[in-house]
Amino acid sequence: MMTAYDKLKFVRAGAHPTGGDYLNALITDRVDLGGDRKFGEDKAIISGIGKLGKISVAYAVIDKGHTLEEKMEKNFGCPKPEGYRKALRIFKMAEKFHLPVLCIVDTLGAYCGSDGEERGQGEAIATNLAEMMALKTPIITIITGEGGSGGALALAVADRVYMTENAVFSVITPDGCASILWKDSSRMAEAVECLKVTSSDMLNFGVCEKVFPEDDSLEERCRKISESLTEEFTSLKKLSNNQLLDNRYARFRKFGSYEEKGKFVILGHK
């Protein structure tokens, strides 16, 4: 049985399917749309419109690439501010034309270079969080590898979150956590166990709704994911805008809640 550290190493390995691989397997008739209309193009995020079976959808996918050249071009899957702003542009377009939104996430975290900070990395992520919470169209996010920090959450404020079996989802990278807590990044294996980042942890916490096993081929896995997405999008599209937003708010509001002597408690509130 794989430990949390084993899973982290697995999803960081070069042989693991990228977000782009999942996109190619799930979406047909694609039209990729680039640029944020403010600064430029960020190839770490692939966005546009296409077909999920018979359903038209908008998509924003974090892709690490396969070759060294692709990885460098895509910042090793770490989006810059213009990447998040491009995704938001697609989200708003989806809302306008009543298209559901599919996000696929596999990232160590947002790009942390000085040029990203100069162009407002934190603001871009925060804006996505706020706008996605109020977006009047269904959103489903799939964590297919590493879901690191705010860089992942910026595409994960969704009505449903799916994860693949070996994926991880964390408020901070385990190596970053070890560096902060113990001033020793070599204690990453210890940190990843403490953080509770695995798909089974997320399922238990209610942070994700469904986990897809990875003991099959990518083609078979994506067939199952496609069936589930089609069913969920069809169901979510039947809700009124108010119901959709209320349910999305309630989904996030319950995080951190627990039962204490028969009383429902939300952390931070008495």
Side-chain angles (χ1 to χ4, degrees):
M1 184 175 179
M2 293 177 70
T3 65
Y5 185 49
D6 291 333
K7 292 185 176 184
L8 178 66
K9 290 189 293 183
F10 176 74
V11 297
R12 287 184 176 180
H16 189 263
T18 66
D21 293 333
Y22 279 94
L23 175 63
N24 291 335
L26 288 169
I27 304 297
T28 60
D29 301 325
R30 276 172 47 197
V31 179
D32 293 345
L33 301 172
D36 66 345
R37 301 299 187 266
K38 292 183 178 181
F39 178 81
E41 167 68 343
D42 180 5
K43 294 187 177 180
I45 293 183
I46 307 170
S47 63
I49 56 175
K51 288 281 190 179
L52 173 72
K54 296 182 179 179
I55 300 176
S56 296
V57 299
Y59 55 83
V61 177
I62 301 179
D63 183 42
K64 292 181 175 179
H66 286 289
T67 67
L68 179 59
E69 183 179 12
E70 287 177 341
K71 290 176 183 292
M72 292 177 67
E73 187 177 53
K74 295 172 180 288
N75 308 316
F76 293 83
C78 297
K80 295 183 177 181
E82 49 270 23
Y84 293 115
R85 290 174 180 138
K86 174 177 67 173
L88 181 58
R89 181 171 73 85
I90 299 302
F91 298 159
K92 300 302 284 186
M93 183 184 71
E95 181 181 55
K96 179 178 180 179
F97 293 105
H98 308 291
L99 300 175
V101 173
L102 171 64
C103 295
I104 300 176
V105 172
D106 182 10
T107 181
L108 182 71
Y111 178 77
C112 58
S114 60
D115 52 335
E117 295 301 319
E118 288 169 358
R119 295 196 294 275
Q121 185 70 285
E123 182 273 337
I125 292 173
T127 297
N128 273 31
L129 303 184
E131 293 284 353
M132 290 182 77
M133 184 60 76
L135 201 70
K136 296 186 178 79
T137 197
I139 312 167
I140 297 179
T141 295
I142 311 173
I143 312 293
T144 61
E146 190 170 5
S149 194
L153 191 58
L155 296 186
V157 180
D159 301 294
R160 303 285 187 273
V161 170
Y162 296 164
M163 294 181 70
T164 52
E165 182 179 13
N166 295 310
V168 296
F169 196 16
S170 177
V171 68
I172 187 173
T173 60
D175 19 4
C177 175
S179 295
I180 292 171
L181 290 184
W182 302 302
K183 311 299 182 185
D184 183 0
S185 61
S186 67
R187 296 177 68 178
M188 179 172 63
E190 185 179 349
V192 75
E193 295 294 340
C194 294
L195 285 168
K196 304 296 182 185
V197 300
T198 67
S199 57
S200 56
D201 291 325
M202 296 301 105
L203 195 62
N204 289 335
F205 296 150
V207 173
C208 84
E209 280 73 25
K210 190 169 293 188
V211 174
F212 292 90
E214 293 190 64
D215 56 357
D216 51 8
S217 67
L218 178 63
E219 181 181 11
E220 177 62 19
R221 192 179 317 141
C222 285
R223 184 189 65 78
K224 296 173 184 176
I225 292 173
S226 182
E227 289 176 355
S228 186
L229 287 171
T230 299
E231 182 180 343
E232 289 282 13
F233 276 140
T234 301
S235 177
L236 290 168
K237 287 175 71 175
K238 294 178 181 179
L239 300 176
S240 68
N241 287 337
N242 286 339
Q243 287 177 310
L244 184 71
L245 297 183
D246 286 348
N247 290 351
R248 190 181 301 156
Y249 174 83
R251 178 182 182 275
F252 282 86
R253 193 70 178 87
K254 72 181 181 182
F255 291 173
S257 60
Y258 63 95
E259 293 285 341
E260 184 180 80
K261 297 181 180 179
K263 180 175 64 175
F264 185 72
V265 178
I266 298 176
L267 296 183
H269 294 261
K270 295 182 178 181

